Amino acid sequence: MAKLILTVDGEVAGNYFIDTPRFTIGSLEDNSLPLAHPGVSRSHAVITTVGNDDILEDLGSTNGTLVNGNRITRHILQHDDVIEIGSCQIRYRSQKAVSGPSLDRTMVIQGLAPEAAAMPAPLAGLERAAARKPGQAREGARLGLVRVTKGPQAGREIELPRVLRTFGEPGVQLAVINRRPHGYFITHVEGKKPALLNGKPIGGEPRPLAPNDVISMGDEELLFLLK
């Protein structure tokens, strides 16, 4: 289980374990990590666990979120990363990340320029090299698309160019679709009942998506397609 070490004004102020799939950070008391300090927004950032990765995302905060001195929008956390929020420093510790990022985890953030600046130079180079070879792209390189076929938003089409896209209702039933070099995957994030994939629960591990797969969440049905 990953751990966060909070430091304020040079003094360790606490240790927090990432023990929920959606770990929130902000000045409000109901956050997983409440930070009542200057420069911290009420809902400042969130860490979402997807498979073996913990992904930090800024929630449109006023003063931004830094990782190792770089302002980020979304960042796959690595062992010993230092998160800066307002006057607070938060060190991320995870034994599963001790060996460093894999190629798969590096390429998951393909297309997100702010995060590319935060990556170690050799890994950023691998990402750019992959982007330069469209002729070698496998099915995972094609743009994913979700079409809502049932529910209040029936008929809506949602393209999936980003690393992550959440679906469902936080706290009730939440899943995330993430883009990897070898395709799209869906992962249960939150809620007692996971979403259904072709009528069967997706379970706790990432599940690969194929064209025409049907995802059922609450009163909605989503059809996964590739453009």
Side-chain angles (χ1 to χ4, degrees):
M1 185 183 299
K3 180 173 73 171
L4 301 175
I5 303 171
L6 172 64
T7 302
V8 181
D9 296 327
E11 299 289 334
V12 175
N15 295 288
Y16 298 82
F17 289 97
I18 301 176
D19 54 3
T20 61
R22 194 171 190 273
F23 186 96
T24 57
I25 304 172
S27 62
L28 295 178
E29 282 296 324
D30 61 355
N31 282 289
S32 308
L33 174 49
L35 298 175
H37 297 279
V40 182
S41 297
R42 291 179 296 177
S43 297
H44 196 106
V46 63
I47 298 173
T48 304
T49 300
V50 179
N52 290 324
D53 295 320
D54 291 318
I55 301 171
L56 173 69
E57 183 174 3
D58 183 84
L59 296 176
S61 65
T62 301
N63 295 302
T65 301
L66 304 181
V67 175
N68 303 327
N70 298 294
R71 186 163 182 157
I72 62 96
T73 300
R74 188 180 292 105
H75 174 81
I76 300 178
L77 289 166
Q78 306 299 328
H79 181 68
D80 262 346
D81 274 351
V82 176
I83 305 164
E84 294 180 59
I85 295 179
S87 59
C88 306
Q89 288 192 333
I90 305 165
R91 185 174 293 275
Y92 173 82
R93 304 300 300 273
S94 175
Q95 292 303 311
K96 64 187 179 184
V98 166
S99 60
S102 66
L103 175 60
D104 178 76
R105 293 164 77 185
T106 300
M107 293 181 67
V108 162
I109 49 181
Q110 179 177 345
L112 294 180
E115 279 74 358
M119 289 190 293
L123 298 180
L126 285 172
E127 180 191 62
R128 288 192 295 270
R132 286 196 298 266
K133 299 178 181 179
Q136 297 180 2
R138 290 168 286 180
E139 185 174 70
R142 294 169 59 189
L143 182 63
L145 174 75
V146 165
R147 180 180 298 153
V148 183
T149 57
K150 180 182 177 182
Q153 300 187 68
R156 182 185 178 194
E157 293 189 346
I158 304 167
E159 292 186 349
L160 303 170
R162 301 190 306 173
V163 174
L164 296 174
R165 179 64 158 80
T166 56
F167 292 89
E169 184 178 350
V172 179
Q173 190 181 51
L174 193 69
V176 63
I177 294 178
N178 71 301
R179 186 180 188 180
R180 300 185 180 186
H182 45 287
Y184 284 86
F185 289 75
I186 185 169
T187 307
H188 174 67
V189 174
E190 204 170 59
K192 293 183 178 179
K193 292 185 178 181
L196 302 180
L197 179 62
N198 300 323
K200 297 181 180 180
I202 60 176
E205 296 297 320
R207 294 280 303 277
L209 290 171
N212 297 313
D213 274 350
V214 176
I215 304 162
S216 303
M217 304 192 65
D219 59 352
E220 287 191 329
E221 281 193 357
L222 313 172
L223 180 66
F224 176 77
L225 302 167
L226 286 174
K227 296 184 69 174

